[in-house]
Amino acid sequence: MPAPTKGARLGGSAAHQRLILSNLATQLFEHGRIVTTEAKAKRLRPLAEKLITKAKRGDIHARRLVLTTVRDKGVVHTLFTEIAPGLADREGGYTRITKVGPRKGDNAPMAVIELVTESVEESRKANAKGVAPAKKAPAKKAVAKSAPAASTAAAAAPAASTAAAAAPAASTAAAAAPAASTAAAAAPSAEAAPAAAAAPTAESQPAETSPAEKLVEETSEVDDATAEQEQPSDDSSDEEAATVSEPDATEETEEKA
């Protein structure tokens, strides 16, 4: 005879409780997950895992034992051909219970019980990801405490690098100062040399006449030309002398007569 469970019975009698758990197991294997109260989910979990363990054996005797609890032959076939081979690499923990909000009618605490479909490696990775942040929390606090010192060092590093960069710049400027003064001293001599070279050429070339002098020369040329035009030629002077001598001759003849 099975040992009695702790707490109140699910139904009015032991037979009623067995029928309730049988129906819940049938629905779980058929749909993969069901929503029920936390009490029923906790009672269903060990029964469902025992049935899955029998189904992993796969023989006729195990099938007949499962049929005493799950009366639907189609669900039993699914359990033996699909569910059990998918959980062959697991040694237990075939179901998972997740608590959800309370039921609206009577405020009973509800939960979801489902079959675990992922592999063992995937479950271990998921558990490692869920546990890792809790282990790394102290390290984060230590990093947070050391952050001010690191920030101070980081702030001091740019100042040191700036000073180091300024020192070569200052030495470069000091080295460039004599060179600049030498260039400034050489600049007058460089400017004077072309001026001195250009001076003889400027003296050797004749000075250009100004526009006023050109105007005076042109006016003098024009005056000379007009004077030459006004002077009578030799031919005109001979003709005038002949005309002057002819009246004198006529006067002399008249006096003689």
Side-chain angles (χ1 to χ4, degrees):
M1 183 176 179
T5 58
K6 293 181 180 181
R9 196 177 285 131
L10 295 178
S13 61
H16 190 193
Q17 180 176 343
R18 287 194 296 270
L19 289 174
I20 291 173
L21 294 178
S22 174
N23 292 333
L24 290 175
T26 303
Q27 297 298 318
L28 177 63
F29 296 145
E30 183 179 358
H31 301 288
R33 58 179 294 173
I34 58 175
V35 180
T36 183
T37 60
E38 289 184 13
K40 291 180 180 179
K42 290 178 181 179
R43 297 286 182 89
L44 173 62
R45 185 173 189 175
L47 177 62
E49 293 190 356
K50 288 179 181 178
L51 295 175
I52 292 172
T53 303
K54 292 178 181 178
K56 289 173 68 175
R57 291 165 53 184
D59 54 357
I60 297 297
H61 179 63
R63 187 180 291 263
R64 288 175 177 171
L65 290 175
V66 172
L67 280 171
T68 58
T69 304
V70 180
R71 305 297 177 89
D72 192 342
K73 293 184 179 180
V75 175
V76 173
H77 178 74
T78 303
L79 175 62
F80 274 78
T81 58
E82 297 180 6
I83 297 174
L87 300 174
D89 58 342
R90 284 185 173 273
E91 296 179 358
Y94 308 122
T95 58
R96 180 187 297 120
I97 296 175
T98 306
K99 293 181 181 181
V100 295
R103 189 161 53 190
K104 185 179 291 185
D106 56 354
N107 201 28
M110 305 295 290
V112 175
I113 182 170
E114 58 185 348
L115 298 175
V116 178
T117 56
E118 63 268 11
S119 62
V120 177
E121 295 180 358
E122 293 177 354
S123 300
R124 288 176 181 174
K125 289 180 181 179
N127 293 333
K129 289 180 180 179
V131 175
K135 292 182 179 179
K136 291 183 179 179
K140 288 183 179 179
K141 291 181 180 178
V143 171
K145 290 181 180 179
S146 63
S151 61
T152 305
S161 60
T162 306
S171 60
T172 306
S181 60
T182 306
S189 59
E191 294 177 356
T201 58
E203 292 176 358
S204 60
Q205 293 179 356
E208 295 181 356
T209 57
S210 62
E213 293 176 354
K214 289 181 180 180
L215 181 59
V216 171
E217 290 178 358
E218 291 177 357
T219 52
S220 61
E221 291 177 358
V222 172
D223 293 339
D224 294 339
T226 53
E228 289 179 357
Q229 291 178 2
E230 291 177 358
Q231 291 180 359
S233 60
D234 295 337
D235 297 334
S236 62
S237 61
D238 293 339
E239 291 178 357
E240 290 178 357
T243 54
V244 171
S245 60
E246 286 177 358
D248 294 339
T250 54
E251 291 178 356
E252 289 177 357
T253 55
E254 289 179 354
E255 289 177 358
K256 289 177 181 181

